[in-house]
Amino acid sequence: MPHRVALVTGGSRGIGAAIAERLAADGADVVVTYARSAERAAAVVRRVEATGRRGLALEAAATDAAQLVAAVDRTVTAFGRLDVLVNNAGIAPFGPLEQVTLEEVDTTMAVHARAAFVLAQAAARHMGSGGRIISIGSSLAERVPYPGWTLYAMSKSALIGLTKGLARDLGPRGITVNLVHPGSTDTEMNPADSPEAEQERAYTALGRYCDPRDIAATVAHLAGEGGRNITGAAVTVDAGTTA
Ligand code: NDP
């Protein structure tokens, strides 16, 4: 595949960092965005550069549409093109239904759904045939096996409609649009050694957490030549939680 440029939101740590490093290993120049972790984003850029590719870290709060559009434009200014957008940045609001505030609803919908829409719209202006838009959803968009996750599940399931609609809008231009639903994955958001982890592990068919690199491998497949005829699809990587 010819030289590619990827933009990964929330690439400072966890799943986003693993995706950035994998895409770089596969030959892409990679821009990562972050909200607060400037140092850690810079460390990811150094690891990208260690593969021989170019890297860049940009601050872009997912709640700030202007910053998101600017991140897309700065990617194209810096590296000349944009081929792969990965909507990964996310938060994990959790708790009793009666305690969820309207502010939390608005923030969560903005970070997961509105940001993905804004970024896809901006990225599509620059993408040519072979472009890829991949969003990171959640197995909780498909099945919700525990209480306390209504808002999170609602916000992630919005990505299903986004993905299917964009696949139709952008298919005629040769751009594919897909969704990856991780299950329990060992990151700071969901550590595999937390008190809750044992219950999550028990819900899987394989009896284990995913590693961020498992999610990155599926993103890499969708982003690469092997993904050329996959669009409007959701791939679940959850060690069988939703089996
Ligand atoms: P982490 O908490 O480890 O990392 C979250 C990333 O998102 C960080 O890079 C963070 O940046 C960024 N981020 C958070 N809030 C914002 C914001 N408002 N604006 C911009 N960036 C932001 O999470 P994971 O790596 O575990 O999660 C990555 C994605 O995978 C999320 O969308 C999550 O919902 C999803 N997912 C995770 C699962 C899991 O079990 N871990 C399961 C299913 C889905 P910074 O470092 O600057 O704060």
Side-chain angles (χ1 to χ4, degrees):
M1 188 167 278
H3 171 243
R4 309 267 281 167
V5 174
L7 171 61
V8 181
T9 70
S12 50
R13 51 200 172 92
I15 292 170
I19 292 169
E21 289 172 42
R22 173 62 194 262
L23 294 179
D26 287 357
D29 292 334
V30 182
V31 177
V32 294
T33 70
Y34 61 91
R36 289 163 297 270
S37 307
E39 283 301 315
R40 299 175 71 180
V44 173
V45 166
R46 285 194 292 277
R47 294 201 289 278
V48 165
E49 289 171 343
T51 69
R53 306 312 318 178
R54 293 180 293 178
L56 180 67
L58 299 173
E59 182 184 349
T63 46
D64 185 332
Q67 274 191 13
L68 298 174
V69 174
V72 170
D73 291 342
R74 288 174 68 186
T75 298
V76 176
T77 302
F79 292 158
R81 53 190 293 147
L82 177 59
D83 303 283
V84 181
L85 167 68
V86 183
N87 292 312
N88 165 79
I91 52 178
F94 166 78
L97 179 64
E98 53 280 7
Q99 289 177 18
V100 177
T101 66
L102 204 50
E103 191 184 359
E104 285 172 306
V105 173
D106 289 345
T107 300
T108 306
M109 293 305 291
V111 171
H112 291 159
R114 193 178 72 147
F117 181 92
V118 168
L119 284 158
Q121 191 182 45
R125 289 187 201 114
H126 298 283
M127 282 182 179
S129 181
R132 304 278 198 264
I133 297 175
I134 301 160
S135 297
I136 305 302
S138 168
S139 60
L140 293 176
E142 300 183 295
R143 299 239 190 285
V144 186
Y146 350 80
W149 289 101
T150 299
L151 173 57
Y152 182 82
M154 178 175 80
S155 68
K156 287 293 189 178
S157 64
L159 295 171
I160 297 171
L162 178 80
T163 299
K164 289 176 183 287
L166 285 174
R168 292 289 177 186
D169 285 338
L170 300 176
R173 291 174 45 196
I175 298 168
T176 70
V177 190
N178 292 292
L179 184 54
V180 176
H181 288 313
S184 300
T185 305
D186 186 17
T187 66
E188 286 161 43
M189 181 184 281
N190 187 2
D193 58 0
S194 75
E196 300 78 34
E198 229 18 74
Q199 188 197 14
E200 291 189 42
R201 207 174 274 110
Y203 276 108
T204 69
L206 292 169
R208 62 184 180 227
Y209 261 54
C210 295
D211 183 279
R213 287 167 296 189
D214 299 326
I215 316 306
T218 296
V219 170
H221 177 69
L222 293 169
E225 188 61 22
R228 61 189 285 270
N229 275 326
I230 306 173
T231 195
V235 183
T236 303
V237 184
D238 70 348
T241 297
T242 51

